[in-house]
Amino acid sequence: MHSLISSDDVWVLWGFIAVWAAVSIALEQRFKWASAVSGAILALAGAMVFTNIGVLPVESPVYDTVWSYVVPLAIPLLLFQINVRQIFKESRRLLFIFLISSLGTVVGSIIAFFLLKQYIPYLDKIGGMISASYIGGGINFAAMAAKFEAPGEYVSATVVADNFMMALLFFILISIPALKWFRRHYAMPFEDQAKAEGNSGNSAESYWKRKDISLKDIAFNAGAAFALVAVSGKISGYFKITFSHPLLTGTLGDQYLVLTSLTVLIIFLFPRFFERLNGSQELGTYLIYLFFVVIGIPADLRLIITNAPLILLFVFIIAISNLAISLAVGKLFRVRLEEILLAVNATVGGPTTAAAMAIAKGWRELVAPIMLVGTLGYLIGNYVGTFMGNWFSSFL
């Protein structure tokens, strides 16, 4: 697709991503309507608009850089200020609803496959990719795409439909807490607390109020984050090359899983060092906003209309099944609404998008737990995707 900015115009694309992320943050903290929507969604939606009016290219090495470097650096930065010892008090309920959301993905995949298998070519392969992605995230999608060797045009069409569906689902998840029906039928303590703390302004502005930060804070935050990403990359690379057992390569060979586990271990061992650092959440969150801009860019509506309308229906059935089952089971077991929505977000979009939603909504106590629980999806997603893809192929 022709665009005003070419895919190899690196500085202009970086400039757009950085500026639009800044604009989204400013809008979120300036206007109540933007705070209700969240800056993360503004970043994603704005990128979609600029793509679909022909300003931004759908693909670029710049976007790959964000996935490869920006996202890994954001993960430890967002975890530095957590109290690891307290997390597990909140994580057990989140883990339960996360597994229920994962089950919702499996049920939705089965329903969507049998409804559409006669109309979409290679749906066994696509089903395996989406089953893995809607439990773990983009890295699981990429792993399954390589494993099943689906034709390139169908992988691209699935990526487009997947990105558009994620954007639509995020809008739904952000909007649900404001609906009266949900307020009557679900407990929402974190939302109530965020609103109470944001009486003098919106919740985003209250949460991200100005803080003291020194050059040493910036240096130590950046140094620790880079070191953790580098070490986790070496560890995961070693296990990928040395071992062929799927359990080892799926756990210790996964950089994101190793990075999260290593960060949590270091924070647990040296809590006072990280407690004294200021600015880690701010730096990590800004990087996450860059990520939100980038994941909105590939959602080109023209490609969906021409190449992927049925694939969009396929991923829609899976996502809605995930949400419906999570809400129903969550209601039955009296799980708090915020935890249900974050679990759905973590399965469909990955732990980073769920953490960003928690931050944007002011649910600060849930940021670290959903990041930790959501990372489990990276591990189990490939196993589920492999099973589903192979099982689906027996019906074609």
Side-chain angles (χ1 to χ4, degrees):
M1 292 289 183
H2 177 74
S3 60
L4 182 64
I5 302 174
S6 66
S7 61
D8 58 356
D9 203 341
V10 174
W11 278 109
V12 173
L13 285 173
W14 270 115
F16 172 84
I17 293 170
V19 169
W20 185 246
V23 169
S24 301
I25 292 170
L27 290 173
E28 180 186 45
Q29 297 192 19
R30 176 66 178 84
F31 300 103
K32 288 187 177 181
W33 65 265
S35 177
V37 174
S38 90
I41 295 300
L42 293 176
L44 189 151
M48 287 178 57
V49 171
F50 283 106
T51 298
N52 286 282
I53 63 176
V55 174
L56 297 174
V58 175
E59 297 179 348
S60 171
V62 172
Y63 311 153
D64 298 333
T65 300
V66 172
W67 280 95
S68 300
Y69 298 98
V70 172
V71 173
L73 283 172
I75 292 173
L77 286 168
L78 287 171
L79 292 174
F80 282 166
Q81 292 299 310
I82 67 174
N83 187 325
V84 179
R85 293 170 174 82
Q86 293 180 352
I87 284 177
F88 298 102
K89 295 178 182 178
E90 294 290 342
S91 294
R92 284 175 291 184
R93 188 166 47 243
L94 266 175
L95 175 60
F96 167 73
I97 197 63
F98 177 85
L99 294 175
I100 294 300
S101 296
S102 301
L103 177 63
T105 289
V106 172
V107 172
S109 298
I110 294 172
I111 294 172
F113 174 79
F114 285 104
L115 286 176
L116 299 172
K117 64 184 179 71
Q118 295 181 341
Y119 307 101
I120 303 176
Y122 307 104
L123 192 57
D124 55 335
K125 303 178 187 295
I126 294 172
M129 292 187 292
I130 292 296
S131 296
S133 178
Y134 280 16
I135 290 176
I139 61 171
N140 299 88
F141 182 96
M144 292 298 100
K147 177 182 181 64
F148 291 119
E149 298 181 344
E153 61 270 24
Y154 285 95
V155 174
S156 298
T158 305
V159 169
V160 172
D162 177 31
N163 277 275
F164 182 78
M165 186 62 243
M166 281 197 297
L168 177 60
L169 183 65
F170 294 166
F171 277 116
I172 295 172
L173 295 177
I174 288 289
S175 302
I176 281 177
L179 300 178
K180 292 182 179 179
W181 189 89
F182 288 96
R183 297 193 67 83
R184 288 198 305 267
H185 292 85
Y186 289 85
M188 299 173 57
F190 298 103
E191 178 72 3
D192 293 338
Q193 180 182 347
K195 288 187 175 182
E197 293 176 352
N199 285 338
S200 59
N202 64 49
S203 58
E205 183 181 27
S206 174
Y207 185 79
W208 296 114
K209 61 186 177 182
R210 190 180 302 275
K211 302 171 186 174
D212 291 331
I213 184 171
S214 68
L215 177 60
K216 187 176 72 172
D217 289 327
I218 297 174
F220 282 7
N221 276 313
F226 272 97
L228 286 164
V229 173
V231 172
S232 65
K234 290 295 184 181
I235 293 173
S236 60
Y238 171 79
F239 277 92
K240 280 182 180 178
I241 295 172
T242 308
F243 299 96
S244 59
H245 193 281
L247 180 60
L248 290 176
T249 57
T251 54
L252 296 176
D254 187 320
Q255 183 182 5
Y256 288 91
L257 186 60
V258 172
L259 175 58
T260 301
S261 303
L262 183 61
T263 303
V264 171
L265 175 62
I266 294 298
I267 295 169
F268 184 83
L269 294 176
F270 305 100
R272 292 185 179 180
F273 173 81
F274 292 100
E275 286 174 0
R276 290 195 295 265
L277 289 182
N278 286 333
S280 57
Q281 278 194 313
E282 286 76 9
L283 292 170
T285 301
Y286 177 70
L287 296 183
I288 287 294
Y289 271 84
L290 301 181
F291 165 73
F292 266 108
V293 175
V294 167
I295 65 171
I297 289 173
D300 189 328
L301 296 179
R302 293 166 295 184
L303 288 178
I304 291 177
I305 293 172
T306 56
N307 297 332
L310 286 178
I311 296 179
L312 179 58
L313 176 60
F314 178 76
V315 297
F316 176 82
I317 293 172
I318 297 173
I320 294 302
S321 171
N322 181 322
L323 177 59
I325 289 176
S326 299
L327 287 170
V329 176
K331 173 63 175 175
L332 180 64
F333 287 92
R334 299 182 179 180
V335 179
R336 293 173 287 200
L337 182 64
E338 300 95 333
E339 294 169 330
I340 297 172
L341 300 180
L342 290 178
V344 174
N345 192 318
T347 50
V348 176
T352 50
T353 64
M357 177 180 169
I359 291 168
K361 295 293 290 181
W363 305 337
R364 65 189 70 180
E365 293 89 347
L366 295 176
V367 174
I370 195 58
M371 177 71 80
L372 289 174
V373 171
T375 306
L376 177 65
Y378 291 150
L379 171 61
I380 65 177
N382 287 347
Y383 293 102
V384 174
T386 299
F387 172 80
M388 298 295 286
N390 290 334
W391 185 53
F392 289 156
S393 65
S394 66
F395 294 96
L396 296 179

